[in-house]
Amino acid sequence: MERVPILKIGDILLVSIQIDMSDQTAVTLQEDLAERIVATGCHGVIIDITALDIVDSFVGRMLSTIASISKVLDAETVVVGMRPAVAITLVELGLSLNGIRTALNVERGMELIAATRDDDPGYDDDPEGVESGTAATSP
Amino acid sequence: MTAGVDLGPKTQAIGSDEDVVRVRQLVRTVAVAAKLSLVDQTKLVTAASELARNTLIYGGGGTAEVTVVEDGRRRGVRIVFADSGPGIADLDLALTDGYTTGGGLGLGLSGSRRLVDDFDIQTAPGEGTRITVTKWSR
């Protein structure tokens, strides 16, 4: 079985799904991520699905579950890079991706997580390596 | 016709998780060869993924047969999912959004029906299930 790598960048865990995942690979990713959130104390998870040419109900449910698990473990999840055809298909399939925050790309996903943490009065460290503000220009 | 591309029927056995991935890849290849639009390819591959998973989980495994079809005006891709599992006792209920007996989201059958142009299902208790879906080029 293939495994999806999880990268740590500053206060964020970045998962870029580059393979056509079997259901077992998706379940393993869910468990690996929960472990890495606890092990690293990261407060943000970015899941990049730019390379996915479909998201079916199983992967959709995995994304929702990851978002819920991270929330319980005090981390925000943002799904980035969804292709337009995938978005159209998801809506027609009937998946609403409840509780999932999305952004157009990784850079905006990082900004979204940083902004969320800044708004939270119970959290006062600045996440390392994340530029706050609006200076970033996206393509 | 398209030279150099084999458009004959292709069959993929469905007996494991990895086979569901293979069904997706086969359907994508054929949908591209049949020149479906990107959105139609995406819808068909997504529907195939749902139905192949159903064949595996509820039907105990089976086959997917993918064929390029023509109706004189347009070209399309037809997929037949067949299993010899327990069949579906209450088809109306099984086609309801959110209904599941397997712990999923209950969108597999109902959702994939919305993603294709033609959807036909033949099933009876004890006699397996045969689902035929077609997506036509526009």
Side-chain angles (χ1 to χ4, degrees):
Chain A
M1 190 198 71
E2 293 181 277
R3 241 187 158 94
V4 178
I6 302 170
L7 310 175
K8 180 175 180 295
I9 302 175
D11 192 40
I12 287 174
L13 293 177
L14 175 64
V15 180
S16 186
I17 304 173
Q18 299 289 331
I19 53 167
D20 191 342
M21 292 187 293
S22 71
D23 292 359
Q24 187 52 51
T25 301
V27 170
T28 305
L29 171 59
Q30 207 170 286
E31 294 165 1
D32 287 352
L33 251 179
E35 273 176 34
R36 287 296 298 277
I37 292 171
V38 172
T40 60
C42 281
H43 291 293
V45 175
I46 292 181
I47 303 176
D48 174 26
I49 60 168
T50 311
L52 289 192
D53 44 26
I54 69 151
V55 171
D56 65 9
S57 65
F58 195 89
V59 170
R61 182 167 59 149
M62 175 206 76
L63 294 174
S64 292
T65 307
I66 286 177
S68 307
I69 293 172
S70 357
K71 194 122 216 150
V72 174
L73 297 174
D74 193 24
E76 289 290 327
T77 300
V78 181
V79 172
V80 306
M82 186 181 294
R83 298 183 184 185
V86 171
I88 292 169
T89 302
L90 267 181
V91 170
E92 208 157 308
L93 182 64
L95 267 184
S96 52
L97 295 190
N98 275 333
I100 296 186
R101 307 179 71 185
T102 56
L104 284 182
N105 53 41
V106 172
E107 197 170 25
R108 290 193 184 180
M110 291 176 105
E111 288 169 7
L112 185 58
I113 289 173
T116 309
R117 303 304 300 185
D118 286 346
D119 290 346
D120 183 350
Y123 180 82
D124 41 27
D125 314 75
D126 262 329
E128 278 172 55
V130 177
E131 292 272 297
S132 54
T134 54
T137 49
S138 326
Chain B
M1 285 300 118
T2 321
V5 182
D6 171 20
L7 297 178
K10 297 177 185 62
T11 303
Q12 170 66 53
I14 304 171
S16 73
D17 247 15
E18 303 295 333
D19 288 338
V20 175
V21 176
R22 291 186 188 103
V23 169
R24 287 201 289 262
Q25 287 163 352
L26 173 62
V27 171
R28 184 176 305 121
T29 307
V30 175
V32 170
K35 298 195 164 62
L36 293 190
S37 74
L38 180 60
V39 171
D40 286 343
Q41 287 169 31
T42 306
K43 288 181 180 178
L44 184 64
V45 174
T46 306
S49 184
E50 301 292 342
L51 295 172
R53 184 179 295 110
N54 281 357
T55 299
L56 178 67
I57 294 175
Y58 301 103
T63 55
E65 191 188 57
V66 188
T67 320
V68 175
V69 289
E70 313 237 1
D71 73 348
R73 293 184 299 122
R74 29 178 212 174
R75 180 179 274 186
V77 177
R78 175 166 297 156
I79 318 170
V80 179
F81 296 89
D83 68 61
S84 10
I88 301 171
D90 188 338
L91 198 50
D92 286 341
L93 189 57
L95 283 165
T96 307
D97 265 352
Y99 176 78
T100 180
T101 58
L105 295 174
L107 290 173
L109 269 189
S110 53
S112 53
R113 180 160 71 162
R114 282 191 291 270
L115 293 175
V116 296
D117 297 316
D118 303 336
F119 184 96
D120 175 69
I121 180 162
Q122 288 173 5
T123 184
E127 290 176 22
T129 301
R130 184 183 172 89
I131 298 178
T132 307
V133 298
T134 311
K135 190 86 189 161
W136 296 101
S137 62
R138 297 165 209 279

